Amino acid sequence: MSQQPCIQVAVVMERIAAPNAWEAWQFRAVEVVPDEGVFGPAPRQLHDDGKTSRWLHPGFRVELFADECKGYFLNLTSGRPVWFVSWREDDDDPSRVEITAVSLSYIEADRRLTAEERVENLPLEPELCEWLRLFTNEHFRPDTGRKVRAQSFLSPEERARPMADAAPPVPEPAPVPCPAALTPPTVDADVRNAALRQLFHTDPHFRASDGLDVNADEAAASEHSPLERQRQILRARAFGLLDDELVDQGEPAADPPAPAPGGGGYCKPT
């Protein structure tokens, strides 16, 4: 059995005391460094100024597996290959954290996020990018078509479903033309106006909208009746618009003389 390619690393975590009014502690991953076995098995404090401290967490073995190559491929092709450092707070001591894993697989990082762990990423060194690239190129096999389940294990409905999916698509029906009754007809303007006039004369909504509407035909007939003509004469006479009762009227002025030929069309003033 061949041994899996692996390296051993340690993680440097930074802790900040009372970073704001809502948190007692704040943590973040700072660096991933090689671990050659000189750091010991337990976390050790590297620095503490009362506000900020740094802790070294050693002993993490990073192995490469052929079945994780898709996760390595996604990491390498992201444009910025990284380490994935997952951690969670210590249930017994909130001032400490537990590093759960260091990985290079994008898919494993996603699984740990789903498990409600904190996952941070740190830049991956160029020489380790090359190491990861060579392993991925050798073992990565892109996904092929999904295997078809044996028909003997399918129900009759499931067996018929692929045949229905493979059926040729039904062409879309042609758009239904608009009925002639809904199509605006081309009507002569005089005919349309006559129809509107008939609607106005017959529809009570138009004739009795304010109680003062008068049929146009009735108004025209009344204007030419003898009684209406007499009323118009009386109104005009009352306003002094008629002079038929004046007896002493002067003779009308004589017509002006015709203009002389070549006179430019104007009469000479007298």
Side-chain angles (χ1 to χ4, degrees):
M1 182 176 179
S2 60
Q3 186 177 6
Q4 300 293 335
C6 68
I7 57 174
Q8 187 155 314
V9 297
V11 180
V12 179
M13 295 289 295
E14 183 177 78
R15 182 186 69 184
I16 303 175
N20 50 59
W22 301 274
E23 293 180 297
W25 306 97
Q26 188 178 79
F27 303 91
R28 71 182 184 96
V30 176
E31 189 178 6
V32 176
V33 298
D35 183 0
E36 298 178 355
V38 298
F39 299 138
R44 59 165 61 179
Q45 184 175 316
L46 303 178
H47 166 77
D48 188 0
D49 60 6
K51 178 70 175 179
T52 303
S53 61
R54 289 195 174 186
W55 295 75
L56 179 71
H57 297 258
F60 294 96
R61 185 181 178 89
V62 180
E63 292 184 292
L64 301 183
F65 298 94
D67 56 357
E68 283 286 351
C69 280
K70 184 175 181 180
Y72 306 148
F73 175 78
L74 294 175
N75 188 11
L76 289 169
T77 57
S78 66
R80 181 177 174 269
V82 295
W83 294 102
F84 296 103
V85 179
S86 56
W87 57 274
R88 59 191 174 201
E89 295 183 3
D90 193 319
D91 295 334
D92 298 329
D93 186 356
S95 66
R96 294 182 178 273
V97 296
E98 176 188 357
I99 308 295
T100 55
V102 180
S103 173
L104 294 170
S105 171
Y106 186 94
I107 296 177
E108 182 178 353
D110 182 69
R111 288 197 296 263
R112 293 188 175 275
L113 279 173
T114 305
E116 298 185 355
E117 295 184 7
R118 306 282 187 89
V119 178
E120 296 188 49
N121 55 69
L122 296 169
L124 185 64
E125 293 77 5
E127 58 272 16
L128 292 179
C129 288
E130 182 65 14
W131 172 66
L132 181 63
R133 185 188 66 81
L134 292 175
F135 180 85
T136 304
N137 287 343
E138 182 180 356
H139 297 89
F140 181 47
R141 299 293 180 268
D143 293 338
T144 57
R146 189 175 61 179
K147 295 182 179 179
V148 179
R149 188 180 178 188
Q151 295 293 319
S152 59
F153 294 96
L154 297 179
S155 64
E157 293 79 7
E158 291 176 326
R159 295 178 191 176
R161 189 177 304 142
M163 299 178 61
D165 296 340
V170 179
E172 295 184 1
V176 179
C178 182
L182 302 180
T183 304
T186 304
V187 182
D188 185 72
D190 294 338
V191 177
R192 183 175 63 251
N193 293 339
L196 292 175
R197 190 181 305 111
Q198 181 67 19
L199 175 65
F200 182 81
H201 291 164
T202 57
D203 194 331
H205 172 74
F206 296 102
R207 286 184 52 83
S209 59
D210 55 3
L212 301 177
D213 299 68
V214 179
N215 190 303
D217 294 336
E218 295 174 358
S222 64
E223 289 178 358
H224 300 287
S225 65
L227 182 60
E228 181 60 23
R229 289 291 299 169
Q230 185 178 1
R231 290 175 181 171
Q232 292 178 359
I233 293 172
L234 292 176
R235 284 197 297 270
R237 186 173 292 154
F239 286 100
L241 300 178
L242 295 179
D243 56 356
D244 54 348
E245 295 182 351
L246 299 179
V247 178
D248 299 329
Q249 296 184 3
E251 294 292 332
D255 294 333
Y266 290 98
C267 297
K268 184 176 181 181
T270 56

